[in-house]
Amino acid sequence: MTAVAIIGGSGLTNLKNLRITRREVIRTPYGEPSAPMVFGQLGGQEAVFLPRHGAGHTIPPHEVNYRANIWAIKQTGVDKVIAVNAVGGISPDYLASGTLVVPDQIIDYTYGRANTFFGSEHKKVTHVDFTFPYCESLRQTVIQAAARTQFKVVGRGTYGATQGPRFESAAEIRRMERDGADVVGMTGMPEAGLARELELCYVSIALVVNPAAGKAKDTISIKEIEKNLETGMVSVRSLLEQVIPLIVQG
Ligand code: HPA
C-alpha cells in the first residue's frame, strides 16, 4: 500500500530519487489537481508525488486548486502527507538560506482561496479542530530523520501564509513578526486546513530560500532564491529519502 504522499513546492516539481512506477490522473468534484499523481518508490517504500505548481511549474500559489489536490491525495488511500514549501526567513534562527524548518504552527493571511470542503453544499455545519495544525507524530518522525543528516533543521516554528504572488513589504513582515511568524510562504494555507478536514496526517518541510522583506540589507533577489531553491532541494530530497522508511516502520 502507498504509505505517504509528498506535495512538492517551488524547486521540487519532480523527485529525482523517486523510482516511478506509474502516473494517474485523478478527477475530483473540485476540478483537476495540479498534475497527474506520480506513484513510485522512495527510500524503498511506496510513495506518491504531486507537484503543487504543476508539472511545468506554471500554477501560481493563489491559483493552485488546493481542494482538488488534497481530495486527490485522499483518493489514493494514503493517510500521511509531507508538504514541501519554500519560505522566507523572518526570526533570527530562521534567516539562513538552506535551513529546513518543520513548523508546528501556522497563521493564515491568505484570502479569496477556496479553503474548505465544508461549505453550504455540505449537509451539516461542520467545524474541525486546528489547535495544532500539523500532525505531531509525523513531525517528530521528520525531526528524528533530520537528526541523522548534516542539514540545519529547526524542529518548530510558526509559518505565516501570505497571498502572493508578490513578496511582502518590509512593514508587512514586521507585522508578521509581531504576530509571531518565524517564516513566510504562499502555499501553507489552505492546504494544511484542507488536509485536516479530510483527516490526513499532514506536515510541512519548509526550506528557507531568502531572508524575508526588510530582513537583509538588500531587496529580495529572485536569482538568489532560484539558486537557493536548487541547492536546498537537494537536502530536501535526501531528507525525504530518510524519513519515508521511518514512517513505514512507525
Ligand atoms: N515571502 C513569501 N513567500 C516566499 C518567500 C517570501 O519571502 N520566499 C519564498 N517563498
Side-chain angles (χ1 to χ4, degrees):
M1 224 219 23
T2 309
V4 60
I6 295 158
I7 305 178
S10 292
L12 198 73
T13 46
N14 64 63
L15 265 185
K16 291 193 180 77
N17 46 357
L18 181 72
R19 286 190 33 227
I20 299 172
T21 50
R22 70 190 168 94
R23 287 186 168 78
E24 188 182 338
V25 177
I26 298 182
R27 299 191 197 290
T28 83
Y30 306 96
E32 287 208 5
S34 299
M37 296 283 176
V38 187
F39 291 82
Q41 293 211 329
L42 185 65
Q45 305 294 339
E46 302 290 323
V48 56
F49 177 74
L50 177 64
R52 184 187 290 115
H53 301 284
H57 201 260
T58 50
I59 311 169
H62 61 293
E63 289 180 25
V64 169
N65 190 339
Y66 294 96
R67 289 196 301 184
N69 287 354
I70 293 296
W71 186 271
I73 284 171
K74 184 78 179 180
Q75 295 318 297
T76 68
V78 305
D79 58 359
K80 295 184 181 64
V81 182
I82 302 177
V84 178
N85 306 83
V87 294
I90 298 179
S91 34
D93 284 350
Y94 301 78
L95 285 175
S97 292
T99 303
L100 297 174
V101 183
V102 191
D104 62 346
Q105 280 297 330
I106 197 161
I107 303 175
D108 190 3
Y109 300 91
T110 68
Y111 46 87
R113 299 182 181 191
N115 65 354
T116 181
F117 294 111
F118 299 148
S120 54
E121 74 287 357
H122 197 72
K123 283 178 208 72
K124 228 171 123 245
V125 174
T126 306
H127 303 286
V128 292
D129 174 67
F130 204 49
T131 311
F132 300 107
Y134 298 100
C135 178
E136 189 57 25
S137 56
L138 189 50
R139 256 179 32 78
Q140 291 306 329
T141 308
V142 173
I143 292 165
Q144 191 190 332
R148 301 179 181 183
T149 69
Q150 75 283 18
F151 311 127
K152 186 187 172 202
V153 180
V154 185
R156 61 151 302 278
T158 297
Y159 179 116
T162 56
Q163 177 68 357
R166 65 165 177 82
F167 292 115
E168 299 69 37
S169 69
E172 285 170 334
I173 293 297
R174 285 197 297 272
R175 181 181 75 157
M176 290 178 72
E177 189 168 23
R178 289 194 296 275
D179 286 352
D182 297 302
V183 294
V184 52
M186 300 173 191
T187 52
M189 286 298 281
E191 200 172 85
L194 291 165
R196 178 59 54 86
E197 287 187 350
L198 295 193
E199 298 179 345
L200 291 162
C201 167
Y202 174 98
V203 295
S204 158
I205 298 176
L207 169 71
V208 177
V209 293
N210 61 287
K215 289 290 167 188
K217 60 179 188 323
D218 296 321
T219 56
I220 292 177
S221 152
I222 310 296
K223 246 210 171 94
E224 195 69 24
I225 288 183
E226 281 168 359
K227 201 184 84 203
N228 291 331
L229 272 173
E230 204 171 308
T231 48
M233 286 304 168
V234 176
S235 321
V236 171
R237 285 192 188 93
S238 146
L239 175 58
L240 286 170
E241 202 167 319
Q242 308 256 355
V243 172
I244 306 264
L246 294 185
I247 292 175
V248 176
Q249 279 164 23

